[in-house]
């Protein structure tokens, strides 16, 4: 963990984007190693703001969002397989056309007025969660003809405090863009790459309505299971 | 095997909105609001655009967006001290285009830091990088993610 690179390397064959400056933004000094309990010493007493019903439904009751309706389901556990209950999951994604509803997305792809692309939920006592959303379209990240991200949903996981933070992304099985994806390219361990890819879960799918994709999340290292 | 980390990307505020300390709007906190602002710089002394700074203290969590000019603003209350520690904000810096996040701690100029177990680990000549300055509307601290003025940064190890 201590020698993970700070920045993603752009795979060979791609033009380096202008927004990233890895050499100037990577720490050069030795980091001071501290046990995570020294961070947890100031853990807040209060948890997250409560989520409200419907926060995990990115389509909404009117169901007018364009694209394939899907469920995203999973369980959050720690490295020992223990359920991580009461974790806040926040997701964000592009619409079916591959456009983010955000001021920084310059692409001339249509915004879906019925889809914002953000949701949140808390994991249950067994660590499980679910979202209802549409499958995001592929998103071009650069000017090269093959500079496309694989279809993905961004995940942020929070526990009691900063030592229990994870930022990750969920990809879709069988997506031909995974082979050239810059995020996947930068996961060094071959087995770990697979952990970013969801799989169809027929037991959670809804006939004639929505396919469910399962994305289980394992918190590692200093991300412990919150107690109580 | 743990799920790998990825970059935050440019659109994270769609879901991760900046927020001040959640408890701020209760009556007991109104007189105690503090603003801690500054800029995040790279090794070349130029601002780092885009990212987020999250803070943790006994009173709760905050999130600030790092603006295109590198500026951030944390709106909170003065943290209570904990055993063996001077009052401080635990800080996580996540640059939008980077995979790893940086941890550090921010202290306040009016407090006694001589018994803080974490600050005392830092080389003496670098400690001032973690102590905010008092300014008219609150506190100011500039953070340097890299370079000659690099802010002391920490890596968490289990336990």
């Amino acid at each position: 963990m201590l020698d993970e690179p700070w920045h993603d390397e752009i795979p060979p064959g791609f033009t380096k984007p202008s927004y990233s400056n890895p050499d100037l933004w990577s720490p050069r000094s030795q980091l001071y190693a501290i046990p995570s309990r020294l961070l947890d010493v100031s853990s807040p007493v209060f948890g997250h703001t409560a989520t409200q019903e419907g926060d995990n439904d990115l389509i909404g009751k009117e169901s007018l969002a364009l694209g394939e309706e899907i469920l995203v389901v999973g369980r959050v556990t720690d490295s020992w397989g223990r359920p991580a209950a009461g974790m806040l999951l926040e997701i964000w994604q592009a619409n079916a056309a591959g456009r983010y509803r955000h001021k920084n997305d310059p692409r001339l792809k249509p915004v879906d007025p019925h889809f914002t692309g953000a949701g949140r939920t808390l994991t249950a006592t067994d660590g499980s969660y679910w979202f209802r959303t549409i499958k995001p379209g592929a998103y071009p990240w650069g000017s090269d003809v093959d500079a496309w991200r694989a279809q993905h949903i961004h995940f942020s996981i929070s526990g009691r405090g900063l030592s229990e933070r994870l930022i990750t992304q969920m990809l879709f099985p069988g997506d031909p863009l995974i082979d050239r994806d810059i995020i996947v390219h930068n996961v060094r361990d071959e087995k770990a790459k697979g952990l970013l890819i969801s799989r169809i879960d027929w037991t959670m799918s809804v006939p004639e309505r929505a396919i469910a994709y399962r994305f289980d999340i394992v918190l590692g290292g200093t991300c412990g299971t919150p107690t109580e | 095997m743990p799920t790998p980390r990825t970059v935050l990307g440019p659109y994270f505020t769609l879901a991760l909105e900046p927020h001040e300390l959640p408890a701020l709007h209760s009556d007991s906190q109104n007189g105690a609001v503090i603003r801690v602002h500054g800029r995040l710089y790279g090794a070349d002394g130029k601002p780092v655009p885009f990212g987020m700074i999250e803070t943790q203290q006994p009173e709760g969590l905050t999130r600030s967006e790092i603006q295109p000019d590198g500026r951030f603003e944390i709106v909170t209350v003065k943290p209570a001290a904990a055993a063996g520690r001077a009052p401080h904000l635990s800080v996580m810096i996540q640059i939008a285009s980077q995979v790893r996040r940086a941890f550090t701690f921010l202290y306040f100029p009016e407090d006694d830091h001589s018994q803080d177990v974490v600050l005392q680990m830092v080389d003496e000549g670098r400690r001032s990088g973690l102590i905010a300055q008092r300014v008219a509307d609150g506190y100011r601290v500039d953070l340097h993610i890299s370079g000659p003025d690099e802010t002391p940064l920490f890596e968490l190890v289990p336990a």
Side-chain angles (χ1 to χ4, degrees):
Chain A
M1 273 299 258
L2 291 179
D3 24 306
E4 245 184 349
W6 280 88
H7 56 90
D8 278 344
E9 153 200 290
I10 304 295
F14 288 115
T15 310
K16 196 163 103 62
S18 58
Y19 58 73
S20 174
N21 235 326
D23 298 326
L24 297 175
W25 300 345
S26 298
R28 297 173 184 177
S29 302
Q30 185 74 19
L31 304 182
Y32 296 94
I34 56 161
S36 63
R37 63 180 157 74
L38 280 182
L39 182 64
D40 294 340
V41 139
S42 54
S43 266
V45 173
F46 304 107
H48 321 287
T49 335
T51 54
Q52 294 172 332
E53 205 193 319
D55 278 356
N56 65 338
D57 182 352
L58 282 72
I59 296 175
K61 289 193 173 35
E62 294 86 10
S63 302
L64 292 172
L66 287 175
E68 300 172 50
E69 179 179 336
I70 61 172
L71 297 175
V72 176
V73 306
R75 273 183 85 222
V76 184
T77 57
D78 66 13
S79 302
W80 296 271
R82 294 178 304 191
M87 303 290 273
L88 176 65
L89 261 61
E90 295 171 286
I91 65 170
W92 66 102
Q93 61 170 90
N95 64 18
R99 173 83 188 268
Y100 283 86
R101 199 155 179 188
H102 189 285
K103 61 182 182 340
N104 286 345
D105 188 345
R107 269 82 191 190
L108 296 173
K109 292 176 183 301
V111 162
D112 182 342
H114 301 291
F115 187 74
T116 301
R120 59 210 307 261
T121 194
L122 291 174
T123 58
T125 44
D126 64 350
S128 66
Y129 73 88
W130 66 273
F131 290 98
R132 176 174 176 245
T133 185
I134 56 98
K135 199 171 186 196
Y139 170 80
W141 61 264
S143 52
D144 299 313
V145 68
D146 54 349
W148 290 78
R149 288 293 324 281
Q151 289 164 287
H152 62 281
I153 297 177
H154 295 265
F155 272 72
S156 161
I157 296 113
S158 312
R160 274 174 320 162
L162 299 180
S163 64
E164 293 170 355
R165 287 293 272 117
L166 176 65
I167 302 286
T168 189
Q169 294 179 27
M170 169 185 133
L171 275 50
F172 290 85
D175 184 345
L177 294 175
I178 289 177
D179 282 347
R180 286 292 271 154
D181 187 87
I182 52 169
I183 298 301
V184 173
H185 171 84
N186 279 283
V187 176
R188 309 287 161 184
D189 188 296
E190 282 305 310
K191 194 151 167 270
K193 285 186 210 278
L195 295 177
L196 294 179
I197 305 171
S198 62
R199 54 185 168 84
I200 290 181
D201 184 340
W202 293 118
T203 68
M204 301 290 285
S205 299
V206 180
E208 297 180 65
R209 180 82 184 265
I211 297 171
Y213 288 89
R214 171 164 290 275
F215 183 57
D216 292 327
I217 298 164
V218 178
L219 304 175
T222 56
C223 287
T225 308
T227 54
E228 278 32 295
Chain B
M1 178 174 266
T3 303
R5 295 185 197 285
T6 69
V7 296
L8 203 49
Y11 311 123
F12 65 92
T13 54
L14 204 43
L16 305 181
E17 289 170 342
H19 66 84
E20 51 191 34
L21 193 79
L24 270 188
H25 299 290
S26 71
D27 290 337
S28 61
Q29 305 283 31
N30 272 341
V33 177
I34 63 170
R35 288 183 152 66
V36 180
H37 59 91
R39 286 171 97 162
L40 179 65
Y41 292 99
D44 56 354
K46 295 201 175 117
V48 177
F50 303 125
M52 74 180 178
I53 290 183
E54 293 186 339
T55 71
Q56 171 183 309
Q57 61 190 96
E59 296 81 3
L61 306 164
T62 76
R63 181 185 293 131
S64 315
E65 191 182 352
I66 299 169
Q67 302 296 330
D69 60 0
R71 285 184 211 278
F72 59 87
E73 184 181 61
I74 301 159
V75 181
T76 186
V77 297
K78 180 85 185 286
R85 305 292 303 276
H88 65 279
L89 295 173
S90 302
V91 176
M92 184 180 90
I93 305 164
Q94 172 98 62
I95 295 170
S97 58
Q98 285 192 335
V99 180
R100 273 175 81 169
R101 63 265 166 88
F103 288 101
T104 193
F105 301 90
L106 293 182
Y107 296 84
F108 299 87
E110 62 267 17
D111 299 319
D112 172 15
H113 314 115
S114 59
Q115 308 301 312
D116 186 282
V117 299
V118 172
L119 195 55
Q120 297 310 311
M121 287 171 62
V122 176
D123 300 314
E124 207 171 337
R126 297 183 68 199
R127 285 178 204 161
S128 61
L130 297 180
I131 303 172
Q133 295 172 312
R134 197 84 177 84
V135 291
D137 64 337
Y139 299 89
R140 185 189 168 88
V141 62
D142 288 327
L143 301 174
H144 299 259
I145 194 75
S146 184
D149 300 318
E150 191 171 308
T151 301
L153 300 172
F154 299 80
E155 176 73 40
L156 302 185
V157 294

